[in-house]
Amino acid sequence: MAKEEQLEGSDVVFDLINFLNSSPTAFHAVDEVCPWKWMLYIIGAHTDSPCLKLKLISKVTKGGYLEVGVQTYGGGLWHTWFDHDLTIAGRVIMREGKDAYSHKLVRIEEPILRIPNLAIHLDRNVQDGFKVNTHGHLVPVLATTIKAELNKVVAGNGPVDSEDDKEKSNKITNTDDSRHHSILLQLLATQLGCEPDDISDFELQACDTQPSTIAGAMKEFIFSGRLDNLCMSFCSLKAWPYKLPFLVRDQLVTPRIPSV
């Protein structure tokens, strides 16, 4: 009996790990809920966590680097965001035809951003205390300006076999009026299977690429971010299918995600 309970408990832990790894943003967490069905009763739980959200105009170029402007969301431990392999995830609004729009969830798996710490010999007083300046310090690095310009040259001078190819090339190189770096839009478009110009707007955030995992010498800990909020959401979802009636997905309206 004890062995069966242990196996059942292990299944719940692995389900939680999968839920955490599938939910880098609140949008993804809500999307994970849908296949579980929605209930007639309401259970209050957070789905969002403190994070760095991309600004409406995120394009920052400084000191030979392409950087991404972000703003803090919630009361986070912002010093923990330094020197991590970061990526972006969230929701994108896409054009579909002349007057039609749709939204899709997006998540770039590989690390594309980093907020670096300053080398110790350039800041000897850091050991006396480091206070994060959220406007000056929390600016993730995306690429170098040199590499970005070289990519523009390659895109502009590469073989163009048709008018469609020429139009695609112009979309990549024409970025003067963009609110966001063209390389960032191109990464999103590649992930979504569309063109950069099809992206009308988005709500994206930086997130850690390090996955949640079971750890410790005795495998008794869960190492993960966003545990405070997503853990209660997961427990609520686990209770629903066995104890409460439900509505099918098609009868539901997507809920509004509240602030922290």
Side-chain angles (χ1 to χ4, degrees):
M1 182 70 178
K3 186 176 181 180
E4 291 180 358
E5 290 178 355
Q6 182 179 2
L7 290 175
E8 184 179 354
S10 298
D11 290 340
V12 172
V13 172
F14 284 116
D15 286 345
L16 173 58
I17 293 296
N18 290 332
F19 179 68
L20 291 170
N21 286 329
S22 301
S23 307
T25 72
F27 299 118
H28 290 78
V30 171
D31 191 63
E32 284 294 306
V33 170
C34 290
W36 297 52
K37 308 299 182 183
W38 286 80
M39 307 303 134
L40 288 171
Y41 294 86
I42 296 175
I43 299 177
H46 283 288
T47 54
D48 51 357
S49 300
C51 65
L52 301 177
K53 289 196 172 187
L54 271 65
K55 292 182 177 180
L56 294 176
I57 301 177
S58 70
K59 188 175 183 179
V60 179
T61 304
K62 184 171 58 177
Y65 291 92
L66 303 185
E67 299 176 331
V68 178
V70 296
Q71 57 190 357
T72 57
Y73 175 79
L77 300 173
W78 306 122
H79 65 278
T80 63
W81 285 79
F82 287 81
D83 294 334
H84 278 253
D85 298 334
L86 304 177
T87 187
I88 55 174
R91 181 171 64 172
V92 176
I93 307 298
M94 300 174 55
R95 296 186 185 89
E96 292 187 354
K98 186 177 180 181
D99 298 315
Y101 293 86
S102 66
H103 72 87
K104 290 185 178 181
L105 299 184
V106 65
R107 178 183 188 178
I108 298 177
E109 297 291 342
E110 62 268 18
I112 61 172
L113 299 172
R114 196 172 182 89
I115 304 174
N117 264 306
L118 194 61
I120 183 63
H121 57 275
L122 297 177
D123 188 8
R124 291 295 185 182
N125 296 324
V126 69
Q127 302 292 8
D128 298 330
F130 174 59
K131 185 176 181 180
V132 179
N133 182 327
T134 57
H135 297 287
H137 294 151
L138 296 179
V139 188
V141 175
L142 177 67
T144 62
T145 54
I146 294 177
K147 187 67 173 179
E149 288 299 322
L150 288 175
N151 284 346
K152 285 184 183 180
V153 172
V154 171
N157 295 337
V160 178
D161 299 326
S162 66
E163 290 299 322
D164 290 339
D165 292 333
K166 187 180 295 184
E167 184 179 350
K168 291 179 182 179
S169 176
N170 289 336
K171 288 179 180 179
I172 297 175
T173 57
N174 183 18
T175 60
D176 292 338
D177 297 329
S178 177
R179 295 177 298 158
H180 312 283
H181 288 301
S182 62
I183 188 173
L184 178 63
L185 295 175
Q186 187 61 49
L187 286 170
L188 291 171
T190 300
Q191 188 71 28
L192 293 165
C194 68
E195 296 299 326
D197 280 359
D198 294 333
I199 298 175
S200 175
D201 203 354
F202 54 65
E203 185 174 348
L204 300 173
Q205 67 186 59
C207 48
D208 200 344
T209 57
Q210 182 174 346
S212 304
T213 186
I214 302 171
M218 303 302 295
K219 303 299 181 185
E220 57 187 319
F221 304 120
I222 294 178
F223 293 171
S224 174
R226 311 178 307 283
L227 267 177
D228 179 46
N229 292 343
L230 290 181
C231 188
M232 67 175 75
S233 299
F234 174 80
C235 292
S236 300
L237 294 174
K238 267 298 187 182
W240 281 356
Y242 306 108
K243 297 181 180 180
L244 302 175
F246 58 85
L247 293 173
V248 296
R249 180 177 180 178
D250 292 341
Q251 295 175 313
L252 296 170
V253 177
T254 302
R256 181 179 64 88
I257 304 299
S259 300
V260 173

